[in-house]
Each structure stands twice: as structure tokens, then as C-alpha cells.
Short mmCIF file of all heavy atoms in Angstrom, two decimals:
data_model
loop_
_atom_site.label_atom_id
_atom_site.label_comp_id
_atom_site.label_asym_id
_atom_site.label_seq_id
_atom_site.Cartn_x
_atom_site.Cartn_y
_atom_site.Cartn_z
N ILE T 240 -2.35 102.72 224.80
CA ILE T 240 -3.48 102.04 224.13
C ILE T 240 -4.73 102.57 224.79
O ILE T 240 -5.26 101.97 225.76
CB ILE T 240 -3.37 100.50 224.30
CG1 ILE T 240 -1.96 100.01 223.87
CG2 ILE T 240 -4.44 99.82 223.45
CD1 ILE T 240 -1.69 98.56 224.15
N PRO T 241 -5.27 103.72 224.34
CA PRO T 241 -6.46 104.28 224.97
C PRO T 241 -7.62 103.28 224.95
O PRO T 241 -7.74 102.52 223.98
CB PRO T 241 -6.76 105.51 224.10
CG PRO T 241 -5.51 105.79 223.34
CD PRO T 241 -4.79 104.48 223.21
N TRP T 242 -8.43 103.33 225.93
CA TRP T 242 -9.52 102.38 226.08
C TRP T 242 -10.47 102.41 224.87
O TRP T 242 -10.97 101.41 224.42
CB TRP T 242 -10.30 102.63 227.36
CG TRP T 242 -11.43 101.68 227.64
CD1 TRP T 242 -12.72 101.96 227.75
CD2 TRP T 242 -11.31 100.24 227.73
NE1 TRP T 242 -13.46 100.80 227.93
CE2 TRP T 242 -12.59 99.74 227.94
CE3 TRP T 242 -10.22 99.37 227.69
CZ2 TRP T 242 -12.86 98.40 228.09
CZ3 TRP T 242 -10.48 97.97 227.83
CH2 TRP T 242 -11.78 97.54 228.02
N GLU T 243 -10.62 103.60 224.26
CA GLU T 243 -11.55 103.76 223.13
C GLU T 243 -11.08 102.84 221.96
O GLU T 243 -11.91 102.38 221.17
CB GLU T 243 -11.55 105.19 222.60
CG GLU T 243 -11.96 106.24 223.58
CD GLU T 243 -10.82 106.66 224.51
OE1 GLU T 243 -9.86 107.26 224.05
OE2 GLU T 243 -10.92 106.34 225.72
N MET T 244 -9.76 102.57 221.87
CA MET T 244 -9.25 101.77 220.76
C MET T 244 -9.63 100.29 220.91
O MET T 244 -9.81 99.59 219.93
CB MET T 244 -7.69 101.85 220.75
CG MET T 244 -7.15 103.07 220.02
SD MET T 244 -5.36 103.04 220.14
CE MET T 244 -4.93 101.58 219.20
N VAL T 245 -9.74 99.83 222.16
CA VAL T 245 -9.95 98.39 222.35
C VAL T 245 -11.34 98.02 222.88
O VAL T 245 -11.73 96.84 222.85
CB VAL T 245 -8.87 97.81 223.33
CG1 VAL T 245 -7.49 97.84 222.72
CG2 VAL T 245 -8.89 98.54 224.67
N SER T 246 -12.06 99.02 223.36
CA SER T 246 -13.35 98.72 224.02
C SER T 246 -14.31 97.94 223.11
O SER T 246 -15.05 97.10 223.58
CB SER T 246 -14.05 99.99 224.49
OG SER T 246 -14.21 100.89 223.43
N ASN T 247 -14.22 98.17 221.80
CA ASN T 247 -15.14 97.47 220.87
C ASN T 247 -14.82 95.98 220.77
O ASN T 247 -15.66 95.17 220.37
CB ASN T 247 -15.05 98.08 219.43
CG ASN T 247 -15.59 99.50 219.43
OD1 ASN T 247 -16.44 99.85 220.27
ND2 ASN T 247 -15.10 100.32 218.54
N TYR T 248 -13.56 95.60 221.10
CA TYR T 248 -13.15 94.21 220.96
C TYR T 248 -13.30 93.44 222.30
O TYR T 248 -13.02 92.25 222.33
CB TYR T 248 -11.68 94.13 220.52
CG TYR T 248 -11.45 94.87 219.21
CD1 TYR T 248 -10.87 96.17 219.25
CD2 TYR T 248 -11.82 94.35 217.98
CE1 TYR T 248 -10.66 96.84 218.07
CE2 TYR T 248 -11.62 95.04 216.80
CZ TYR T 248 -11.02 96.30 216.87
OH TYR T 248 -10.83 96.98 215.69
N VAL T 249 -13.70 94.15 223.35
CA VAL T 249 -13.83 93.50 224.66
C VAL T 249 -15.28 93.23 224.89
O VAL T 249 -16.14 94.14 224.84
CB VAL T 249 -13.22 94.41 225.78
CG1 VAL T 249 -13.40 93.75 227.16
CG2 VAL T 249 -11.76 94.66 225.50
N PRO T 250 -15.65 91.95 225.22
CA PRO T 250 -17.08 91.58 225.32
C PRO T 250 -17.76 92.00 226.61
O PRO T 250 -18.88 91.59 226.88
CB PRO T 250 -17.03 90.07 225.21
CG PRO T 250 -15.69 89.67 225.67
CD PRO T 250 -14.77 90.77 225.37
N PHE T 251 -17.10 92.82 227.42
CA PHE T 251 -17.78 93.28 228.68
C PHE T 251 -17.40 94.70 228.94
O PHE T 251 -16.40 95.27 228.37
CB PHE T 251 -17.34 92.38 229.86
CG PHE T 251 -15.88 92.14 229.97
CD1 PHE T 251 -15.04 93.03 230.58
CD2 PHE T 251 -15.33 90.96 229.40
CE1 PHE T 251 -13.68 92.82 230.64
CE2 PHE T 251 -13.93 90.75 229.48
CZ PHE T 251 -13.15 91.65 230.11
N ASN T 252 -18.12 95.37 229.83
CA ASN T 252 -17.87 96.80 230.16
C ASN T 252 -16.79 96.92 231.23
O ASN T 252 -16.76 96.13 232.16
CB ASN T 252 -19.16 97.47 230.66
CG ASN T 252 -20.08 97.79 229.53
OD1 ASN T 252 -19.63 98.02 228.38
ND2 ASN T 252 -21.38 97.77 229.79
N VAL T 253 -15.89 97.93 231.06
CA VAL T 253 -14.87 98.21 232.08
C VAL T 253 -15.01 99.70 232.43
O VAL T 253 -14.90 100.54 231.53
CB VAL T 253 -13.46 97.90 231.54
CG1 VAL T 253 -12.39 98.29 232.62
CG2 VAL T 253 -13.33 96.43 231.14
N THR T 254 -15.19 99.99 233.71
CA THR T 254 -15.31 101.43 234.09
C THR T 254 -13.94 102.06 234.04
O THR T 254 -12.93 101.36 234.21
CB THR T 254 -15.89 101.54 235.53
OG1 THR T 254 -15.10 100.79 236.39
CG2 THR T 254 -17.35 101.04 235.60
N PRO T 255 -13.87 103.43 233.81
CA PRO T 255 -12.59 104.09 233.60
C PRO T 255 -11.54 103.78 234.69
O PRO T 255 -10.38 103.59 234.35
CB PRO T 255 -12.99 105.58 233.62
CG PRO T 255 -14.41 105.61 233.15
CD PRO T 255 -15.01 104.37 233.67
N GLU T 256 -11.97 103.73 235.99
CA GLU T 256 -10.96 103.59 237.03
C GLU T 256 -10.33 102.18 237.01
O GLU T 256 -9.25 101.94 237.57
CB GLU T 256 -11.49 103.90 238.43
CG GLU T 256 -12.56 102.96 238.96
CD GLU T 256 -14.00 103.44 238.63
OE1 GLU T 256 -14.17 104.13 237.64
OE2 GLU T 256 -14.90 103.08 239.41
N TYR T 257 -10.97 101.23 236.33
CA TYR T 257 -10.44 99.85 236.26
C TYR T 257 -9.78 99.50 234.93
O TYR T 257 -9.33 98.37 234.74
CB TYR T 257 -11.55 98.84 236.56
CG TYR T 257 -11.92 98.81 238.04
CD1 TYR T 257 -13.20 99.17 238.46
CD2 TYR T 257 -10.95 98.49 238.99
CE1 TYR T 257 -13.49 99.16 239.81
CE2 TYR T 257 -11.27 98.47 240.35
CZ TYR T 257 -12.54 98.84 240.75
OH TYR T 257 -12.82 98.83 242.08
N VAL T 258 -9.64 100.49 234.04
CA VAL T 258 -8.95 100.25 232.77
C VAL T 258 -7.50 99.83 233.01
O VAL T 258 -7.05 98.85 232.43
CB VAL T 258 -9.02 101.49 231.83
CG1 VAL T 258 -8.11 101.32 230.62
CG2 VAL T 258 -10.45 101.68 231.40
N PRO T 259 -6.72 100.52 233.91
CA PRO T 259 -5.35 100.04 234.16
C PRO T 259 -5.32 98.60 234.64
O PRO T 259 -4.42 97.83 234.28
CB PRO T 259 -4.83 100.99 235.26
CG PRO T 259 -5.71 102.19 235.16
CD PRO T 259 -7.05 101.73 234.70
N HIS T 260 -6.27 98.20 235.43
CA HIS T 260 -6.31 96.85 235.98
C HIS T 260 -6.56 95.83 234.86
O HIS T 260 -5.99 94.73 234.86
CB HIS T 260 -7.39 96.70 237.05
CG HIS T 260 -7.21 97.70 238.19
ND1 HIS T 260 -7.57 98.98 238.10
CD2 HIS T 260 -6.67 97.51 239.41
CE1 HIS T 260 -7.30 99.60 239.21
NE2 HIS T 260 -6.74 98.76 240.06
N PHE T 261 -7.34 96.22 233.89
CA PHE T 261 -7.62 95.33 232.77
C PHE T 261 -6.30 95.05 231.98
O PHE T 261 -5.97 93.92 231.69
CB PHE T 261 -8.67 95.96 231.83
CG PHE T 261 -8.88 95.19 230.56
CD1 PHE T 261 -9.63 94.04 230.51
CD2 PHE T 261 -8.33 95.66 229.37
CE1 PHE T 261 -9.84 93.34 229.35
CE2 PHE T 261 -8.49 94.96 228.19
CZ PHE T 261 -9.25 93.79 228.20
N TYR T 262 -5.60 96.14 231.65
CA TYR T 262 -4.32 95.99 230.95
C TYR T 262 -3.33 95.19 231.79
O TYR T 262 -2.56 94.34 231.25
CB TYR T 262 -3.74 97.36 230.60
CG TYR T 262 -4.50 98.04 229.49
CD1 TYR T 262 -4.92 99.37 229.62
CD2 TYR T 262 -4.77 97.42 228.28
CE1 TYR T 262 -5.60 100.02 228.61
CE2 TYR T 262 -5.45 98.05 227.27
CZ TYR T 262 -5.87 99.36 227.42
OH TYR T 262 -6.55 100.01 226.42
N GLY T 263 -3.26 95.50 233.08
CA GLY T 263 -2.35 94.78 233.97
C GLY T 263 -2.59 93.28 233.91
O GLY T 263 -1.65 92.48 233.82
N THR T 264 -3.86 92.89 233.89
CA THR T 264 -4.19 91.46 233.85
C THR T 264 -3.71 90.79 232.56
O THR T 264 -3.11 89.70 232.61
CB THR T 264 -5.76 91.27 233.93
OG1 THR T 264 -6.20 91.98 235.08
CG2 THR T 264 -6.16 89.83 234.03
N ILE T 265 -3.89 91.47 231.41
CA ILE T 265 -3.52 90.88 230.13
C ILE T 265 -2.02 90.59 230.08
O ILE T 265 -1.56 89.50 229.75
CB ILE T 265 -3.91 91.82 228.94
CG1 ILE T 265 -5.42 92.06 228.92
CG2 ILE T 265 -3.38 91.29 227.62
CD1 ILE T 265 -6.24 90.80 228.67
N PHE T 266 -1.20 91.60 230.49
CA PHE T 266 0.24 91.43 230.38
C PHE T 266 0.80 90.48 231.46
O PHE T 266 1.81 89.82 231.29
CB PHE T 266 0.98 92.79 230.42
CG PHE T 266 0.93 93.44 229.10
CD1 PHE T 266 -0.09 94.37 228.77
CD2 PHE T 266 1.87 93.17 228.11
CE1 PHE T 266 -0.17 94.95 227.52
CE2 PHE T 266 1.79 93.77 226.86
CZ PHE T 266 0.80 94.67 226.56
N THR T 267 0.08 90.45 232.57
CA THR T 267 0.47 89.49 233.66
C THR T 267 0.43 88.04 233.08
O THR T 267 1.28 87.24 233.41
CB THR T 267 -0.58 89.59 234.80
OG1 THR T 267 -0.43 90.87 235.40
CG2 THR T 267 -0.33 88.55 235.85
N LEU T 268 -0.54 87.76 232.24
CA LEU T 268 -0.68 86.37 231.74
C LEU T 268 0.50 85.95 230.89
O LEU T 268 0.92 84.81 230.91
CB LEU T 268 -2.00 86.24 230.97
CG LEU T 268 -3.26 86.49 231.82
CD1 LEU T 268 -4.52 86.41 231.02
CD2 LEU T 268 -3.33 85.53 233.04
N PHE T 269 1.13 86.92 230.15
CA PHE T 269 2.34 86.62 229.38
C PHE T 269 3.49 86.30 230.36
O PHE T 269 4.25 85.34 230.14
CB PHE T 269 2.75 87.82 228.50
CG PHE T 269 2.20 87.75 227.14
CD1 PHE T 269 1.09 88.50 226.76
CD2 PHE T 269 2.79 86.92 226.17
CE1 PHE T 269 0.57 88.40 225.47
CE2 PHE T 269 2.29 86.84 224.90
CZ PHE T 269 1.17 87.60 224.54
N ALA T 270 3.60 87.10 231.40
CA ALA T 270 4.73 86.87 232.36
C ALA T 270 4.58 85.50 233.00
O ALA T 270 5.55 84.76 233.21
CB ALA T 270 4.66 87.96 233.44
N VAL T 271 3.33 85.14 233.29
CA VAL T 271 3.07 83.85 233.91
C VAL T 271 3.58 82.73 232.99
O VAL T 271 4.19 81.74 233.46
CB VAL T 271 1.54 83.64 234.10
CG1 VAL T 271 1.20 82.24 234.46
CG2 VAL T 271 1.06 84.60 235.21
N PHE T 272 3.41 82.89 231.69
CA PHE T 272 3.74 81.84 230.74
C PHE T 272 5.22 81.45 230.83
O PHE T 272 5.55 80.30 231.05
CB PHE T 272 3.39 82.30 229.29
CG PHE T 272 3.56 81.21 228.30
CD1 PHE T 272 2.55 80.30 228.10
CD2 PHE T 272 4.73 81.11 227.55
CE1 PHE T 272 2.72 79.27 227.17
CE2 PHE T 272 4.86 80.10 226.62
CZ PHE T 272 3.88 79.17 226.41
N TYR T 273 6.13 82.44 230.68
CA TYR T 273 7.51 82.02 230.63
C TYR T 273 8.10 81.72 232.01
O TYR T 273 8.99 80.88 232.14
CB TYR T 273 8.38 83.05 229.88
CG TYR T 273 8.87 84.24 230.65
CD1 TYR T 273 9.98 84.18 231.46
CD2 TYR T 273 8.23 85.50 230.51
CE1 TYR T 273 10.43 85.29 232.18
CE2 TYR T 273 8.69 86.60 231.18
CZ TYR T 273 9.78 86.50 231.99
OH TYR T 273 10.24 87.61 232.66
N SER T 274 7.54 82.33 233.07
CA SER T 274 8.10 82.03 234.41
C SER T 274 7.63 80.67 234.87
O SER T 274 8.37 79.91 235.50
CB SER T 274 7.77 83.12 235.40
OG SER T 274 6.38 83.24 235.51
N LEU T 275 6.35 80.29 234.55
CA LEU T 275 5.88 78.96 234.96
C LEU T 275 6.60 77.84 234.22
O LEU T 275 6.96 76.85 234.78
CB LEU T 275 4.38 78.83 234.70
CG LEU T 275 3.41 79.50 235.67
CD1 LEU T 275 1.99 79.12 235.34
CD2 LEU T 275 3.74 79.18 237.10
N LEU T 276 6.84 78.06 232.91
CA LEU T 276 7.43 76.98 232.10
C LEU T 276 8.92 76.89 232.30
O LEU T 276 9.43 75.82 232.50
CB LEU T 276 7.12 77.23 230.61
CG LEU T 276 5.67 77.05 230.16
CD1 LEU T 276 5.56 77.29 228.65
CD2 LEU T 276 5.15 75.66 230.49
N GLY T 277 9.61 78.00 232.25
CA GLY T 277 11.08 77.98 232.23
C GLY T 277 11.76 78.00 233.57
O GLY T 277 12.95 77.82 233.67
N GLY T 278 11.00 78.28 234.66
CA GLY T 278 11.60 78.34 235.98
C GLY T 278 12.69 79.41 236.07
O GLY T 278 12.66 80.41 235.33
N MET T 279 13.70 79.22 236.93
CA MET T 279 14.73 80.22 237.14
C MET T 279 15.55 80.46 235.86
O MET T 279 15.87 81.61 235.55
CB MET T 279 15.65 79.77 238.30
CG MET T 279 16.74 80.79 238.62
SD MET T 279 16.15 82.44 239.12
CE MET T 279 15.90 82.21 240.84
N SER T 280 15.90 79.41 235.10
CA SER T 280 16.68 79.62 233.86
C SER T 280 15.93 80.46 232.85
O SER T 280 16.49 81.36 232.23
CB SER T 280 17.04 78.27 233.22
OG SER T 280 17.83 77.53 234.12
N GLY T 281 14.62 80.21 232.71
CA GLY T 281 13.77 81.01 231.82
C GLY T 281 13.76 82.47 232.23
O GLY T 281 13.88 83.37 231.39
N ILE T 282 13.67 82.68 233.53
CA ILE T 282 13.64 84.05 234.05
C ILE T 282 14.97 84.73 233.75
O ILE T 282 14.98 85.88 233.27
CB ILE T 282 13.39 84.04 235.56
CG1 ILE T 282 11.91 83.61 235.83
CG2 ILE T 282 13.67 85.37 236.23
CD1 ILE T 282 11.64 83.23 237.24
N VAL T 283 16.10 84.07 234.00
CA VAL T 283 17.41 84.71 233.81
C VAL T 283 17.65 85.07 232.35
O VAL T 283 18.07 86.20 232.04
CB VAL T 283 18.55 83.80 234.36
CG1 VAL T 283 19.91 84.31 233.93
CG2 VAL T 283 18.47 83.74 235.88
N TRP T 284 17.35 84.14 231.42
CA TRP T 284 17.57 84.45 230.01
C TRP T 284 16.64 85.54 229.49
O TRP T 284 17.06 86.41 228.71
CB TRP T 284 17.43 83.18 229.17
CG TRP T 284 18.71 82.41 229.22
CD1 TRP T 284 18.97 81.28 229.92
CD2 TRP T 284 19.95 82.76 228.56
NE1 TRP T 284 20.26 80.88 229.76
CE2 TRP T 284 20.89 81.76 228.94
CE3 TRP T 284 20.36 83.79 227.71
CZ2 TRP T 284 22.22 81.79 228.47
CZ3 TRP T 284 21.69 83.82 227.26
CH2 TRP T 284 22.56 82.81 227.64
N ALA T 285 15.40 85.55 229.95
CA ALA T 285 14.47 86.61 229.53
C ALA T 285 14.95 87.95 230.11
O ALA T 285 14.84 88.99 229.43
CB ALA T 285 13.06 86.31 230.07
N ASP T 286 15.50 87.95 231.31
CA ASP T 286 16.05 89.18 231.89
C ASP T 286 17.22 89.75 231.13
O ASP T 286 17.37 90.92 231.01
CB ASP T 286 16.46 88.88 233.38
CG ASP T 286 15.28 88.78 234.32
OD1 ASP T 286 14.17 89.09 233.88
OD2 ASP T 286 15.46 88.42 235.48
#
């Protein structure tokens, strides 16, 4: 997902060296969702 594709939809500037960190943050939030809610059983079934 090249930065040029999404930069228009992001309301703030991200410098090139921090683009990976931006993507990392977005997907981290999904991981947080199922591990916080489902605990160990949620983790095992997702795995």
C-alpha cells in the first residue's frame, strides 16, 4: 500500500521514514481488539 495511495485520506503529514510506523500502528489496533476481548481463548482460535 504505497503511501501515495493513502496520503490524501490521512489528515496529517507523515515523513517517508515514518510511513512503516504509521501502518504498524493501524494494524496493531486490530490485534489489540481480539486479544483484549477474547483473552487466551481468543488468541488460540485466531491462531
Side-chain angles (χ1 to χ4, degrees):
I240 310 173
W242 182 240
E243 302 80 67
M244 277 178 66
V245 292
S246 57
N247 294 333
Y248 304 101
V249 178
F251 47 84
N252 283 331
V253 178
T254 55
E256 66 268 27
Y257 286 117
V258 170
H260 302 79
F261 172 78
Y262 287 130
T264 306
I265 299 298
F266 281 93
T267 294
L268 298 177
F269 267 102
V271 168
F272 187 83
Y273 83 81
S274 60
L275 282 188
L276 291 181
M279 181 60 87
S280 298
I282 289 166
V283 168
W284 278 104
D286 284 351

